[in-house]
Amino acid sequence: AQRVTQPEKLLSVFKGAPVELKCNYSYSGSPELFWYVQYSRQRLQLLLRHISRESIKGFTADLNKGETSFHLKKPFAQEEDSAMYYCALSGSGGSYIPTFGRGTSLIVHP
Amino acid sequence: DAGVTQSPTHLIKTRGQQVTLRCSPKSGHDTVSWYQQALGQGPQFIFQYYEEEERQRGNFPDRFSGHQFPNYSSELNVNALLLGDSALYLCASSLGVNHEQYFGPGTRLTVT
């Protein structure tokens, strides 16, 4: 069975501080990993996926197969980064049906 | 393009009743997926419709059923409502089954 664990329900940082949102997964195979974000009063949207290796809004995430982790990082947090972040996993082969973690609420204080 | 739209925004039902939720996909999309998001949890996949057929299904009982129409819009039906069905129901659309999904704003269902 595939599972995504986000150990922190809430992460609170000050503007300009580094941010790391943790995500660990369980999957017997080669998964595809994603980060979704939901800003206040907006709909859930894809932030980034590991296969594209992009940096979106200053965020990056590296897939560590040894540690089965896909942590989301940003060197300098901004107030507009405050949102709910969900890590998600889908099976290999192109299926985009994600299994979501429970989410981490990021609050960036001025 | 308004993106994915869902109706109603919220509704309240009584235990044992039946409910129908509706979703219109983003323009140009032909695939619709439904998710249930309980309070404090991430979305859970219910099922996906493509070419008017259910293509994939998550771990949900048969009380949850759906339909896709020729114009690609979709309905989610839940029979014999339980208190535990109270949740935000999200619809997501995509172009084909293996492409990025775009989410709607959700329908908040409360079962009393």
Side-chain angles (χ1 to χ4, degrees):
Chain A
Q2 54 196 57
R3 181 183 300 173
V4 176
T5 301
Q6 293 180 252
E8 304 142 327
K9 287 186 69 174
L10 173 67
L11 184 62
S12 182
V13 302
F14 285 99
K15 177 182 173 181
V19 170
E20 182 178 66
L21 298 164
K22 291 183 168 53
C23 172
N24 290 90
Y25 67 89
S26 173
Y27 184 74
S28 55
S30 296
E32 296 193 29
L33 274 298
F34 309 84
W35 277 99
Y36 285 79
V37 62
Q38 186 168 26
Y39 301 102
S40 179
R41 298 188 184 87
Q42 294 187 28
R43 54 192 69 189
L44 191 65
Q45 58 186 290
L46 180 65
L47 179 62
L48 56 80
R49 67 194 78 176
H50 88 273
I51 57 172
S52 63
R53 296 182 177 275
E54 292 174 306
S55 173
I56 306 294
K57 299 184 179 183
F59 284 98
T60 59
D62 291 319
L63 178 60
N64 186 323
K65 293 185 178 181
E67 296 183 358
T68 60
S69 68
F70 187 57
H71 303 328
L72 184 68
K73 300 177 183 179
K74 185 169 183 177
F76 307 103
Q78 303 299 315
E79 290 179 67
E80 55 266 29
D81 296 328
S82 296
M84 196 73 185
Y85 291 82
Y86 295 93
C87 181
L89 169 160
S90 69
S92 56
S95 169
Y96 269 63
I97 304 298
T99 296
F100 287 88
R102 68 173 182 176
T104 297
S105 177
L106 173 65
I107 299 175
V108 182
H109 300 281
Chain B
D1 179 17
V4 179
T5 60
Q6 293 185 242
S7 63
T9 304
H10 55 267
L11 72 166
I12 300 173
K13 289 286 187 178
T14 303
R15 189 172 47 184
Q17 286 187 317
Q18 178 264 347
V19 69
T20 297
L21 310 182
R22 296 177 175 81
C23 172
S24 292
K26 181 178 169 65
S27 178
H29 285 185
D30 57 8
T31 303
V32 173
S33 302
W34 286 92
Y35 295 81
Q36 180 194 66
Q37 186 174 17
L39 198 61
Q41 302 296 320
Q44 259 195 301
F45 173 68
I46 303 175
F47 42 54
Q48 181 182 70
Y49 276 84
Y50 172 68
E51 293 187 334
E52 302 180 50
E53 289 188 10
E54 183 182 292
R55 297 292 176 166
Q56 294 191 62
R57 189 179 183 93
N59 188 25
F60 279 81
D62 292 345
R63 297 187 298 109
F64 290 77
S65 63
H67 188 76
Q68 186 178 34
F69 299 94
N71 68 351
Y72 308 121
S73 67
S74 176
E75 288 182 349
L76 164 66
N77 300 294
V78 187
N79 294 323
L81 284 166
L82 303 173
L83 296 179
D85 294 332
S86 295
L88 180 68
Y89 288 84
L90 296 171
C91 170
S93 73
S94 58
L95 179 59
V97 299
N98 292 330
H99 290 84
E100 178 183 346
Q101 298 183 355
Y102 291 77
F103 284 83
T107 293
R108 172 74 61 187
L109 172 65
T110 302
V111 182
T112 62

